[in-house]
Amino acid sequence: MTDARDVIQRHIAAANAQDDDADPWAADAEIVTPAGGATGRDNVLAFLRVFYEAFPDFRLELTQLLADGPAAAAEGVLTGTHEGVLHTPNGEIPPT
């Protein structure tokens, strides 16, 4: 069984590299964020690509990780330069 801590760390590395193939999201993945969410690997990766497009230098930094075997919770900070259009449910936000 894969340790949840390892999965989260692999996701952060893949997201920072903007490498969908390396991202460990499962077929039934679900992501929930203050900006919305998505269900299913393809939809989760599409959700993340919106941020990669808007912030080409997208960077996730882990600030806290609590893990106990198959369960984990992570907190982090996303930084980047807003150089592309950010597509949101409330409309497009042009680069700032």
Coordinates of all heavy atoms in Angstrom, one line a residue:
M1 N 0.8 -1.2 0.0 CA 0.0 0.0 0.0 C 0.9 1.2 0.0 O 1.9 1.3 0.7 CB -0.9 0.0 1.2 CG -1.7 1.3 1.4 SD -2.8 1.3 2.8 CE -4.2 0.5 2.1
T2 N 0.5 2.2 -0.8 CA 1.3 3.4 -0.9 C 0.9 4.3 0.3 O -0.2 4.5 0.6 CB 1.0 4.2 -2.2 OG1 1.2 3.3 -3.3 CG2 1.8 5.4 -2.4
D3 N 1.9 5.0 0.8 CA 1.8 5.9 2.0 C 1.2 7.2 1.4 O 1.7 7.7 0.4 CB 3.1 6.1 2.6 CG 3.0 6.9 3.9 OD1 2.7 6.4 4.9 OD2 3.3 8.1 3.7
A4 N 0.2 7.7 2.1 CA -0.4 9.0 1.7 C 0.6 10.1 1.6 O 0.5 11.0 0.8 CB -1.6 9.3 2.6
R5 N 1.5 10.2 2.6 CA 2.6 11.2 2.6 C 3.3 11.2 1.2 O 3.6 12.2 0.6 CB 3.5 11.0 3.7 CG 4.7 12.0 3.8 CD 5.6 11.7 4.9 NE 4.9 11.7 6.2 CZ 4.8 12.7 7.0 NH1 5.2 13.9 6.6 NH2 4.2 12.6 8.2
D6 N 3.7 10.0 0.8 CA 4.4 9.9 -0.5 C 3.6 10.3 -1.7 O 4.1 11.0 -2.6 CB 4.8 8.4 -0.7 CG 5.6 8.2 -2.0 OD1 6.6 8.9 -2.2 OD2 5.1 7.4 -2.8
V7 N 2.3 10.0 -1.7 CA 1.4 10.4 -2.8 C 1.3 11.9 -2.8 O 1.4 12.5 -3.9 CB 0.0 9.8 -2.6 CG1 -1.0 10.4 -3.6 CG2 0.1 8.3 -2.8
I8 N 1.2 12.6 -1.7 CA 1.1 14.1 -1.7 C 2.4 14.7 -2.2 O 2.4 15.6 -3.0 CB 0.7 14.6 -0.3 CG1 -0.8 14.2 0.0 CG2 0.9 16.1 -0.1 CD1 -1.2 14.4 1.4
Q9 N 3.5 14.1 -1.7 CA 4.8 14.7 -2.1 C 5.0 14.5 -3.6 O 5.6 15.4 -4.3 CB 5.9 14.1 -1.3 CG 5.9 14.6 0.1 CD 6.8 13.9 1.1 OE1 7.2 12.8 0.9 NE2 7.3 14.7 2.1
R10 N 4.6 13.3 -4.2 CA 4.7 13.1 -5.6 C 3.8 14.1 -6.4 O 4.2 14.6 -7.4 CB 4.3 11.6 -5.9 CG 5.4 10.7 -5.5 CD 5.2 9.2 -5.8 NE 4.1 8.9 -6.8 CZ 3.2 8.0 -6.6 NH1 3.3 7.2 -5.6 NH2 2.3 7.8 -7.5
H11 N 2.6 14.3 -5.8 CA 1.7 15.3 -6.5 C 2.3 16.7 -6.6 O 2.3 17.3 -7.6 CB 0.4 15.4 -5.8 CG -0.4 16.6 -6.1 ND1 -0.8 17.0 -7.4 CD2 -0.7 17.7 -5.3 CE1 -1.4 18.2 -7.4 NE2 -1.3 18.6 -6.2
I12 N 2.9 17.1 -5.5 CA 3.5 18.5 -5.4 C 4.7 18.5 -6.4 O 4.8 19.5 -7.2 CB 4.0 18.8 -4.0 CG1 2.7 19.0 -3.1 CG2 4.9 20.0 -4.0 CD1 3.0 19.2 -1.7
A13 N 5.5 17.5 -6.5 CA 6.6 17.5 -7.5 C 6.1 17.5 -8.9 O 6.6 18.3 -9.7 CB 7.5 16.3 -7.2
A14 N 5.0 16.7 -9.2 CA 4.5 16.7 -10.5 C 3.8 18.0 -10.9 O 3.9 18.5 -12.0 CB 3.5 15.6 -10.6
A15 N 3.1 18.6 -9.9 CA 2.4 19.9 -10.2 C 3.5 21.0 -10.4 O 3.3 21.8 -11.4 CB 1.5 20.3 -9.0
N16 N 4.5 21.0 -9.6 CA 5.6 22.0 -9.9 C 6.3 21.8 -11.2 O 6.7 22.8 -11.8 CB 6.6 22.0 -8.7 CG 6.0 22.6 -7.4 OD1 5.0 23.4 -7.5 ND2 6.5 22.3 -6.3
A17 N 6.3 20.6 -11.7 CA 6.9 20.4 -13.0 C 5.8 20.5 -14.1 O 6.1 20.4 -15.3 CB 7.5 19.0 -13.0
Q18 N 4.5 20.6 -13.7 CA 3.4 20.7 -14.6 C 3.4 19.4 -15.5 O 3.2 19.5 -16.7 CB 3.4 22.0 -15.4 CG 3.3 23.2 -14.6 CD 3.2 24.5 -15.3 OE1 2.9 24.5 -16.5 NE2 3.5 25.6 -14.6
D19 N 3.6 18.3 -14.9 CA 3.7 17.0 -15.5 C 2.5 16.1 -15.2 O 2.5 15.4 -14.2 CB 5.0 16.3 -15.1 CG 5.3 15.0 -15.8 OD1 4.4 14.5 -16.6 OD2 6.4 14.5 -15.6
D20 N 1.5 16.2 -16.0 CA 0.3 15.4 -15.8 C 0.6 13.9 -15.7 O 0.0 13.2 -14.9 CB -0.7 15.6 -16.9 CG -1.4 16.9 -16.9 OD1 -1.2 17.7 -16.0 OD2 -2.2 17.2 -17.8
D21 N 1.5 13.4 -16.5 CA 1.8 11.9 -16.5 C 2.4 11.5 -15.2 O 2.2 10.3 -14.8 CB 2.8 11.6 -17.6 CG 2.1 11.8 -19.0 OD1 0.9 11.7 -19.1 OD2 2.9 12.0 -20.0
A22 N 3.1 12.3 -14.5 CA 3.8 12.0 -13.2 C 2.8 12.2 -12.0 O 3.1 11.7 -10.9 CB 5.0 12.8 -13.0
D23 N 1.7 12.9 -12.2 CA 0.8 13.3 -11.1 C 0.1 12.0 -10.7 O -0.5 11.3 -11.5 CB -0.1 14.4 -11.5 CG -0.4 15.3 -10.3 OD1 -0.5 14.8 -9.2 OD2 -0.6 16.5 -10.5
P24 N 0.1 11.7 -9.4 CA -0.5 10.4 -9.0 C -2.0 10.3 -8.7 O -2.5 9.4 -8.1 CB 0.3 10.1 -7.6 CG 0.5 11.5 -7.1 CD 0.8 12.4 -8.3
W25 N -2.7 11.3 -9.3 CA -4.2 11.2 -9.1 C -4.8 9.9 -9.6 O -4.5 9.5 -10.8 CB -4.8 12.4 -9.8 CG -4.5 13.7 -9.2 CD1 -3.6 14.6 -9.7 CD2 -5.1 14.3 -8.0 NE1 -3.5 15.7 -8.9 CE2 -4.4 15.6 -7.8 CE3 -6.0 13.9 -7.1 CZ2 -4.7 16.4 -6.8 CZ3 -6.3 14.8 -6.1 CH2 -5.7 16.0 -5.9
A26 N -5.7 9.3 -8.9 CA -6.3 8.1 -9.3 C -7.5 8.4 -10.2 O -7.9 9.5 -10.3 CB -6.8 7.3 -8.0
A27 N -8.0 7.4 -10.9 CA -9.2 7.5 -11.8 C -10.4 8.1 -11.0 O -11.1 8.9 -11.6 CB -9.5 6.2 -12.4
D28 N -10.5 7.8 -9.8 CA -11.7 8.4 -9.0 C -11.3 9.5 -8.1 O -12.0 9.8 -7.1 CB -12.3 7.2 -8.2 CG -11.4 6.6 -7.2 OD1 -10.2 6.9 -7.2 OD2 -11.9 5.8 -6.3
A29 N -10.2 10.2 -8.4 CA -9.7 11.3 -7.6 C -10.8 12.4 -7.4 O -11.7 12.6 -8.3 CB -8.5 11.9 -8.3
E30 N -10.6 13.2 -6.3 CA -11.5 14.3 -6.1 C -10.6 15.4 -5.5 O -9.8 15.1 -4.6 CB -12.6 14.0 -5.2 CG -13.5 15.1 -4.9 CD -14.8 14.7 -4.1 OE1 -14.9 13.5 -3.7 OE2 -15.6 15.6 -3.8
I31 N -10.7 16.6 -5.9 CA -10.0 17.8 -5.3 C -11.1 18.8 -4.9 O -12.0 19.1 -5.7 CB -9.0 18.4 -6.3 CG1 -8.2 19.4 -5.6 CG2 -9.6 18.9 -7.6 CD1 -7.0 19.9 -6.4
V32 N -10.9 19.3 -3.7 CA -11.8 20.4 -3.2 C -10.9 21.5 -2.8 O -10.0 21.3 -2.0 CB -12.7 19.8 -2.0 CG1 -13.5 20.9 -1.5 CG2 -13.5 18.6 -2.5
T33 N -11.2 22.7 -3.3 CA -10.4 23.9 -2.9 C -11.4 25.1 -2.7 O -12.5 25.0 -3.1 CB -9.4 24.3 -4.1 OG1 -10.1 24.9 -5.1 CG2 -8.6 23.1 -4.6
P34 N -10.9 26.1 -2.2 CA -11.7 27.3 -2.0 C -12.2 27.9 -3.4 O -13.2 28.5 -3.5 CB -10.9 28.4 -1.3 CG -9.8 27.5 -0.6 CD -9.6 26.3 -1.4
A35 N -11.4 27.5 -4.5 CA -11.8 28.0 -5.8 C -12.7 27.1 -6.6 O -13.0 27.3 -7.7 CB -10.5 28.2 -6.6
G36 N -13.1 26.0 -6.0 CA -13.9 25.0 -6.6 C -13.4 23.6 -6.5 O -12.6 23.3 -5.5
G37 N -13.7 22.7 -7.4 CA -13.3 21.4 -7.2 C -13.5 20.6 -8.5 O -14.1 21.1 -9.5
A38 N -13.1 19.3 -8.5 CA -13.3 18.5 -9.6 C -13.3 17.0 -9.2 O -12.7 16.7 -8.1 CB -12.2 18.7 -10.7
T39 N -13.9 16.1 -9.9 CA -13.9 14.7 -9.6 C -13.5 13.9 -10.9 O -13.9 14.2 -12.0 CB -15.4 14.3 -9.3 OG1 -15.8 15.1 -8.1 CG2 -15.4 12.8 -8.9
G40 N -12.6 12.9 -10.6 CA -12.1 12.1 -11.7 C -10.7 12.7 -12.1 O -10.5 13.9 -12.2
R41 N -9.8 11.8 -12.4 CA -8.4 12.2 -12.7 C -8.3 13.2 -13.8 O -7.7 14.2 -13.6 CB -7.6 10.9 -13.1 CG -6.2 11.3 -13.6 CD -5.4 10.1 -14.0 NE -4.1 10.4 -14.6 CZ -3.0 10.8 -14.0 NH1 -3.0 10.9 -12.7 NH2 -1.9 11.1 -14.7
D42 N -9.0 13.0 -14.9 CA -8.9 13.9 -16.1 C -9.4 15.3 -15.7 O -8.9 16.3 -16.0 CB -9.7 13.4 -17.3 CG -9.0 12.2 -17.9 OD1 -7.8 12.0 -17.6 OD2 -9.7 11.4 -18.6
N43 N -10.5 15.3 -14.9 CA -11.1 16.6 -14.5 C -10.2 17.3 -13.5 O -10.1 18.6 -13.5 CB -12.5 16.4 -13.9 CG -13.5 16.0 -15.0 OD1 -13.3 16.4 -16.2 ND2 -14.5 15.3 -14.6
V44 N -9.6 16.6 -12.6 CA -8.7 17.2 -11.6 C -7.5 17.8 -12.3 O -7.1 18.9 -12.0 CB -8.3 16.1 -10.5 CG1 -7.1 16.6 -9.7 CG2 -9.4 15.7 -9.6
L45 N -6.9 17.0 -13.3 CA -5.8 17.6 -14.0 C -6.2 18.8 -14.8 O -5.4 19.8 -14.9 CB -5.2 16.5 -14.9 CG -4.5 15.4 -14.1 CD1 -4.1 14.2 -15.0 CD2 -3.3 15.8 -13.3
A46 N -7.4 18.8 -15.4 CA -7.9 20.0 -16.2 C -8.0 21.2 -15.2 O -7.7 22.3 -15.6 CB -9.2 19.6 -16.9
F47 N -8.5 20.9 -14.0 CA -8.7 22.0 -13.0 C -7.3 22.6 -12.7 O -7.2 23.8 -12.7 CB -9.3 21.4 -11.7 CG -9.5 22.4 -10.6 CD1 -10.7 23.1 -10.5 CD2 -8.5 22.5 -9.7 CE1 -10.8 24.0 -9.5 CE2 -8.7 23.4 -8.6 CZ -9.8 24.2 -8.5
L48 N -6.3 21.8 -12.5 CA -5.0 22.3 -12.2 C -4.4 23.0 -13.4 O -3.7 24.0 -13.2 CB -4.1 21.1 -11.8 CG -4.4 20.5 -10.5 CD1 -3.6 19.2 -10.3 CD2 -4.3 21.4 -9.3
R49 N -4.6 22.5 -14.6 CA -4.1 23.2 -15.8 C -4.5 24.7 -16.0 O -3.8 25.5 -16.5 CB -4.4 22.4 -17.1 CG -3.4 21.3 -17.4 CD -3.7 20.7 -18.8 NE -3.8 19.2 -18.5 CZ -4.9 18.6 -18.5 NH1 -6.1 19.1 -18.8 NH2 -4.9 17.3 -18.3
V50 N -5.7 25.0 -15.5 CA -6.2 26.4 -15.5 C -5.2 27.3 -14.7 O -4.9 28.4 -15.2 CB -7.6 26.5 -14.8 CG1 -8.0 27.9 -14.6 CG2 -8.6 25.8 -15.7
F51 N -4.6 26.8 -13.6 CA -3.7 27.5 -12.9 C -2.3 27.5 -13.5 O -1.6 28.5 -13.5 CB -3.5 26.9 -11.4 CG -4.8 27.2 -10.6 CD1 -5.8 26.2 -10.6 CD2 -5.0 28.4 -10.0 CE1 -6.9 26.4 -9.9 CE2 -6.1 28.6 -9.2 CZ -7.1 27.6 -9.2
Y52 N -1.9 26.4 -14.2 CA -0.7 26.4 -14.9 C -0.7 27.4 -16.0 O 0.4 28.0 -16.3 CB -0.4 25.0 -15.5 CG -0.3 23.8 -14.5 CD1 -0.5 22.5 -15.0 CD2 -0.1 24.0 -13.2 CE1 -0.5 21.5 -14.2 CE2 -0.1 22.9 -12.3 CZ -0.3 21.7 -12.8 OH -0.2 20.6 -12.0
E53 N -1.8 27.6 -16.7 CA -1.9 28.5 -17.8 C -1.9 30.0 -17.3 O -1.2 30.8 -17.9 CB -3.3 28.3 -18.5 CG -3.5 29.3 -19.7 CD -4.9 29.1 -20.3 OE1 -5.4 28.0 -20.4 OE2 -5.5 30.2 -20.7
A54 N -2.5 30.2 -16.2 CA -2.6 31.6 -15.7 C -1.2 32.0 -15.0 O -0.8 33.1 -15.0 CB -3.7 31.7 -14.7
F55 N -0.6 31.0 -14.4 CA 0.7 31.2 -13.6 C 1.7 30.3 -14.2 O 2.0 29.2 -13.6 CB 0.4 30.9 -12.1 CG -0.7 31.8 -11.5 CD1 -2.0 31.3 -11.5 CD2 -0.4 33.0 -11.1 CE1 -3.0 32.0 -10.9 CE2 -1.4 33.8 -10.5 CZ -2.7 33.3 -10.4
P56 N 2.4 30.7 -15.3 CA 3.4 29.8 -15.9 C 4.5 29.3 -14.9 O 5.1 28.2 -15.1 CB 4.0 30.6 -17.0 CG 2.9 31.6 -17.3 CD 2.3 31.9 -16.0
D57 N 4.8 30.1 -13.9 CA 5.8 29.8 -12.9 C 5.2 29.2 -11.7 O 5.8 29.3 -10.6 CB 6.8 30.9 -12.6 CG 6.0 32.2 -12.1 OD1 4.8 32.2 -12.2 OD2 6.7 33.1 -11.6
F58 N 4.0 28.6 -11.8 CA 3.3 28.0 -10.7 C 4.2 27.2 -9.8 O 5.0 26.5 -10.2 CB 2.3 27.0 -11.4 CG 1.5 26.2 -10.5 CD1 0.2 26.5 -10.2 CD2 2.0 25.0 -9.9 CE1 -0.6 25.6 -9.4 CE2 1.3 24.2 -9.1 CZ -0.1 24.5 -8.8
R59 N 4.0 27.4 -8.5 CA 4.8 26.7 -7.5 C 4.0 26.4 -6.3 O 3.4 27.3 -5.7 CB 6.0 27.5 -7.2 CG 7.0 26.9 -6.3 CD 8.0 26.1 -7.1 NE 8.9 25.4 -6.1 CZ 9.4 24.2 -6.4 NH1 9.1 23.6 -7.5 NH2 10.2 23.6 -5.5
L60 N 3.9 25.1 -5.9 CA 3.3 24.7 -4.7 C 4.4 24.5 -3.6 O 5.4 23.8 -3.9 CB 2.5 23.4 -4.8 CG 1.2 23.4 -5.4 CD1 0.6 22.0 -5.6 CD2 0.2 24.2 -4.6
E61 N 4.2 25.0 -2.4 CA 5.1 24.8 -1.3 C 4.3 24.2 -0.2 O 3.3 24.8 0.2 CB 5.8 26.1 -0.9 CG 6.7 25.9 0.2 CD 7.3 27.3 0.7 OE1 7.3 28.2 -0.1 OE2 7.7 27.3 1.9
L62 N 4.7 23.1 0.3 CA 4.0 22.4 1.4 C 4.4 23.2 2.7 O 5.6 23.4 3.0 CB 4.5 21.0 1.5 CG 3.7 20.0 2.4 CD1 2.3 19.9 1.9 CD2 4.4 18.7 2.3
T63 N 3.4 23.5 3.5 CA 3.7 24.2 4.8 C 3.4 23.3 6.0 O 3.9 23.4 7.0 CB 2.9 25.5 4.9 OG1 1.5 25.2 4.8 CG2 3.3 26.5 3.9
Q64 N 2.4 22.3 5.7 CA 2.1 21.4 6.8 C 1.6 20.1 6.2 O 0.8 20.2 5.2 CB 1.1 22.0 7.8 CG 0.8 21.1 9.0 CD 0.0 21.8 10.0 OE1 0.2 23.0 10.2 NE2 -0.9 21.2 10.6
L65 N 2.0 19.0 6.7 CA 1.5 17.7 6.2 C 1.3 16.8 7.4 O 2.2 16.5 8.2 CB 2.6 17.1 5.2 CG 2.3 15.7 4.7 CD1 0.9 15.6 4.0 CD2 3.4 15.2 3.8
L66 N 0.1 16.3 7.6 CA -0.3 15.4 8.6 C -0.6 14.1 7.9 O -1.5 14.1 7.0 CB -1.5 15.9 9.4 CG -1.3 17.3 10.1 CD1 -2.7 17.7 10.6 CD2 -0.2 17.3 11.1
A67 N 0.1 13.0 8.3 CA -0.2 11.7 7.6 C -0.2 10.6 8.6 O 0.6 10.6 9.6 CB 0.9 11.5 6.6
D68 N -1.1 9.7 8.4 CA -1.1 8.5 9.2 C -1.5 7.3 8.3 O -2.7 7.1 8.0 CB -2.2 8.6 10.3 CG -2.2 7.4 11.3 OD1 -1.3 6.6 11.2 OD2 -3.2 7.3 12.1
G69 N -0.5 6.7 7.7 CA -0.7 5.6 6.8 C -1.5 6.0 5.5 O -1.0 6.9 4.8
P70 N -2.7 5.5 5.3 CA -3.4 5.9 4.1 C -4.2 7.2 4.1 O -4.8 7.6 3.2 CB -4.4 4.7 4.0 CG -4.7 4.3 5.4 CD -3.4 4.5 6.1
A71 N -4.1 7.9 5.3 CA -4.9 9.2 5.4 C -3.9 10.3 5.6 O -2.9 10.2 6.3 CB -5.8 9.1 6.6
A72 N -4.2 11.4 5.0 CA -3.3 12.6 5.1 C -4.1 13.9 4.8 O -5.1 13.9 4.2 CB -2.2 12.5 4.1
A73 N -3.6 15.0 5.4 CA -4.1 16.3 5.1 C -2.9 17.2 4.9 O -1.9 17.1 5.6 CB -4.9 16.8 6.3
A74 N -3.0 18.0 3.9 CA -1.9 18.9 3.5 C -2.3 20.3 3.5 O -3.5 20.6 3.1 CB -1.3 18.5 2.2
E75 N -1.4 21.2 3.8 CA -1.7 22.7 3.7 C -0.4 23.2 3.0 O 0.7 22.8 3.2 CB -1.8 23.3 5.1 CG -2.1 24.8 5.1 CD -2.2 25.3 6.5 OE1 -1.3 25.1 7.3 OE2 -3.3 25.9 6.7
G76 N -0.7 24.2 2.1 CA 0.4 24.8 1.4 C 0.1 26.1 0.8 O -1.0 26.6 1.0
V77 N 1.1 26.6 0.1 CA 0.9 27.9 -0.6 C 1.2 27.8 -2.0 O 2.2 27.1 -2.4 CB 1.9 28.9 0.1 CG1 1.9 30.3 -0.6 CG2 1.7 29.1 1.6
L78 N 0.4 28.4 -2.9 CA 0.6 28.4 -4.3 C 1.1 29.8 -4.6 O 0.5 30.8 -4.3 CB -0.7 28.1 -5.1 CG -0.6 28.0 -6.6 CD1 -1.8 27.2 -7.1 CD2 -0.5 29.3 -7.3
T79 N 2.2 29.9 -5.3 CA 2.8 31.2 -5.8 C 3.0 31.1 -7.3 O 3.1 30.0 -7.8 CB 4.1 31.5 -5.1 OG1 5.0 30.5 -5.3 CG2 3.9 31.7 -3.6
G80 N 3.0 32.3 -7.9 CA 3.3 32.4 -9.3 C 3.0 33.8 -9.8 O 2.3 34.6 -9.1
T81 N 3.5 34.1 -11.0 CA 3.3 35.4 -11.6 C 2.1 35.2 -12.5 O 2.1 34.4 -13.4 CB 4.5 35.8 -12.4 OG1 5.7 35.7 -11.5 CG2 4.4 37.2 -12.9
H82 N 1.1 36.1 -12.4 CA -0.1 36.0 -13.1 C 0.1 36.6 -14.5 O 0.0 37.8 -14.8 CB -1.2 36.8 -12.4 CG -2.6 36.6 -13.0 ND1 -3.7 37.3 -12.5 CD2 -3.1 35.8 -14.0 CE1 -4.7 37.0 -13.2 NE2 -4.4 36.1 -14.1
E83 N 0.5 35.7 -15.4 CA 0.8 36.1 -16.8 C -0.2 35.7 -17.9 O -0.1 36.1 -19.0 CB 2.2 35.6 -17.2 CG 3.3 36.2 -16.3 CD 4.7 35.7 -16.7 OE1 4.8 34.8 -17.5 OE2 5.7 36.3 -16.2
G84 N -1.0 34.8 -17.5 CA -2.1 34.2 -18.4 C -3.4 34.5 -17.9 O -3.6 34.9 -16.7
V85 N -4.4 34.2 -18.7 CA -5.8 34.4 -18.3 C -6.2 33.3 -17.2 O -5.9 32.1 -17.4 CB -6.8 34.3 -19.5 CG1 -8.2 34.3 -19.0 CG2 -6.5 35.4 -20.4
L86 N -6.8 33.7 -16.1 CA -7.3 32.8 -15.1 C -8.8 32.6 -15.4 O -9.6 33.5 -15.2 CB -7.0 33.3 -13.7 CG -7.5 32.4 -12.6 CD1 -6.9 31.0 -12.6 CD2 -7.3 33.1 -11.2
H87 N -9.1 31.3 -15.8 CA -10.5 31.0 -16.0 C -11.2 30.6 -14.7 O -10.8 29.6 -14.1 CB -10.6 29.9 -17.1 CG -9.9 30.2 -18.3 ND1 -10.4 31.1 -19.3 CD2 -8.7 29.9 -18.8 CE1 -9.6 31.2 -20.3 NE2 -8.5 30.5 -20.0
T88 N -12.3 31.3 -14.4 CA -13.0 31.0 -13.1 C -14.5 30.8 -13.5 O -15.0 31.2 -14.5 CB -12.9 32.1 -12.1 OG1 -13.7 33.2 -12.4 CG2 -11.4 32.6 -11.9
P89 N -15.2 30.2 -12.5 CA -16.7 30.1 -12.7 C -17.4 31.4 -12.9 O -18.4 31.5 -13.5 CB -17.2 29.3 -11.5 CG -16.0 28.6 -11.0 CD -14.8 29.5 -11.3
N90 N -16.8 32.5 -12.4 CA -17.4 33.8 -12.4 C -16.8 34.6 -13.6 O -17.1 35.8 -13.6 CB -17.1 34.5 -11.1 CG -17.9 33.9 -10.0 OD1 -19.0 33.3 -10.1 ND2 -17.2 33.8 -8.8
G91 N -16.0 34.0 -14.5 CA -15.5 34.7 -15.6 C -14.0 34.7 -15.7 O -13.3 34.1 -14.8
E92 N -13.5 35.3 -16.7 CA -12.0 35.3 -16.9 C -11.4 36.5 -16.2 O -11.9 37.6 -16.2 CB -11.7 35.3 -18.4 CG -12.2 34.1 -19.1 CD -11.9 34.1 -20.6 OE1 -11.4 35.1 -21.1 OE2 -12.0 33.0 -21.2
I93 N -10.2 36.2 -15.6 CA -9.4 37.2 -15.0 C -8.2 37.4 -15.8 O -7.3 36.5 -15.9 CB -9.1 36.9 -13.5 CG1 -10.4 36.7 -12.7 CG2 -8.2 38.0 -12.9 CD1 -10.2 36.1 -11.3
P94 N -8.0 38.6 -16.4 CA -6.8 38.8 -17.3 C -5.6 38.9 -16.4 O -5.6 39.2 -15.2 CB -7.1 40.1 -18.0 CG -8.1 40.8 -17.1 CD -8.9 39.8 -16.4
P95 N -4.4 38.8 -17.0 CA -3.1 38.9 -16.3 C -3.0 40.2 -15.6 O -3.6 41.2 -16.1 CB -2.1 38.8 -17.4 CG -2.7 38.1 -18.5 CD -4.2 38.5 -18.4
T96 N -2.4 40.2 -14.4 CA -2.3 41.4 -13.6 C -0.8 41.9 -13.6 O 0.1 41.1 -13.9 CB -2.7 41.2 -12.2 OG1 -2.0 40.1 -11.6 CG2 -4.2 41.0 -12.1

